[in-house]
Amino acid sequence: MKTLSIQQEAGALVRIDTSNVYDTPLIWKYAHVRTQVEFVDYSAEDGVAVITLNRPPVNALNNEMIADIDEAVRMAEATDIRAVVITGAPHFAAGADITGFQKTFEAGGDERQASGLSEAIARFTNLEKPTIAAINGFALGGGLELALGADFRYMAESAKVGQPEILLGIIPGAGGTQRLARLVGPQRCKELCTTGRQVKSEEALSLGIADKVVPDEELLDLAMSDAAAFANGPTQAYAAVKRAVSRGFDQPLEEGLAIEAEQFARAFASNDAKIGVAAFLAKEKPDFSGT
């Protein structure tokens, strides 16, 4: 693994006061196993993995950070990890590092940052365990696209999200027009992507972008509490739910029902199904194994 390297400047899509940037990731208070790649901190304890973006001051996404995110997601694929939280402080991620775009223009090459981020988000989305994005501060551009890859998004009351790429004369390139449209509908997605405006937490909740909004100081505790509950739940059934919804959503009803039936059979064949049924009949709380 690489050693931690703190970057002093990052050109993101928003100017932010960085006077309160944390020197030490707060998430480490939850950690038992800790690993650092250059721009991401990875910790794991009791079946919960935490991926903390760590490229001060605003977690602007560049190619190196995106590679580190992908590496952290690969670590979270381990079978002993049963839930994942992704976060960043004091900002989740304020968008792409725009200096990288300028370098691409000057070099006359193809822009690869969006495709790399898209691949990392796809890997994150396809994790066969519940995932939560805990959003502090800003989640803009690629930052929001990364959060959209999670199963659930929890926002601090002061947080804001948006797809401001249009202000640069470009559009989202890592799933923003597609995942966002599936959450809020195509018309609202077009409005958000063509205005580039920032969305406050309460509006994000009403639109369906956020699943929960809590006071800033409660965000991480809530995400960790819910992740711990997932980590003690029926992991194979959670994975089956994710596969059934993602694979069947855009299909005709009959095909969707066939996909659901297939996933039901997979869940029914799991050890957790036997544990759950036996516990129900015995009027006991199930102790799921995750298998």
Side-chain angles (χ1 to χ4, degrees):
M1 296 297 175
K2 306 171 187 175
T3 57
L4 181 65
S5 173
I6 295 180
Q7 301 296 306
Q8 298 299 322
E9 298 180 359
L13 289 171
V14 61
R15 288 191 176 90
I16 300 170
D17 177 10
T18 60
S19 60
N20 62 342
V21 171
Y22 301 118
D23 293 326
T24 302
L26 293 181
I27 193 64
W28 278 17
K29 72 178 182 179
Y30 298 100
H32 176 67
V33 176
R34 303 171 181 172
T35 303
Q36 290 175 299
V37 287
E38 190 170 6
F39 298 120
V40 173
D41 302 316
Y42 178 92
S43 64
E45 185 174 15
D46 296 331
V48 177
V50 182
I51 299 171
T52 306
L53 309 185
N54 188 21
R55 187 177 183 240
V58 296
N59 287 330
L61 299 162
N62 64 3
N63 288 327
E64 292 76 18
M65 186 179 186
I66 291 167
D68 287 352
I69 293 169
D70 188 66
E71 183 174 348
V73 172
R74 289 174 186 269
M75 288 189 278
E77 291 175 340
T79 55
D80 60 331
I81 299 300
R82 296 169 64 183
V84 181
V85 174
I86 188 166
T87 191
H91 302 284
F92 184 82
D97 187 337
I98 308 306
T99 60
F101 292 165
Q102 183 59 36
K103 291 177 182 178
T104 298
F105 289 144
E106 293 172 354
D110 295 330
E111 204 293 303
R112 300 183 182 278
Q113 184 169 291
S115 60
L117 180 59
S118 184
E119 291 173 4
I121 294 171
R123 184 180 302 280
F124 181 52
T125 298
N126 290 332
L127 285 174
E128 296 204 330
K129 57 205 71 179
T131 58
I132 300 171
I135 302 172
N136 293 291
F138 288 95
L140 302 175
L144 177 55
E145 289 174 306
L146 178 58
L148 291 174
D151 296 315
F152 308 103
R153 282 155 297 284
Y154 297 178
M155 288 182 67
E157 287 180 343
S158 66
K160 296 180 181 179
V161 299
Q163 299 287 173
E165 291 90 344
I166 200 72
L167 305 178
L168 299 175
I170 58 177
I171 70 169
T177 64
Q178 301 306 303
R179 291 190 178 91
L180 186 58
R182 284 162 171 75
L183 281 179
V184 305
Q187 189 63 28
R188 182 61 65 191
C189 178
K190 283 189 287 185
E191 185 266 325
L192 293 174
C193 291
T194 55
T195 63
R197 69 181 179 89
Q198 295 176 10
V199 177
K200 295 181 179 180
S201 59
E202 287 302 324
E203 182 184 3
L205 183 64
S206 68
L207 290 175
I209 298 173
D211 296 286
K212 296 183 181 181
V213 173
V214 295
D216 293 23
E217 65 274 12
E218 298 177 15
L219 175 67
L220 200 52
D221 287 338
L222 175 63
M224 293 301 298
S225 176
D226 286 1
F230 282 133
N232 287 302
T235 306
Q236 298 304 312
Y238 292 146
V241 167
K242 292 180 65 168
R243 289 191 296 264
V245 173
S246 63
R247 297 176 185 178
F249 179 74
D250 290 328
Q251 301 300 318
L253 180 58
E254 288 187 2
E255 293 183 23
L257 291 173
I259 292 169
E260 180 184 79
E262 176 187 359
Q263 296 307 316
F264 173 84
R266 290 184 63 173
F268 193 82
S270 70
N271 289 327
D272 279 342
K274 299 178 178 66
I275 292 170
V277 170
F280 179 84
L281 295 175
K283 297 182 179 180
E284 298 174 349
K285 182 179 180 179
D287 183 15
F288 293 116
S289 66
T291 61

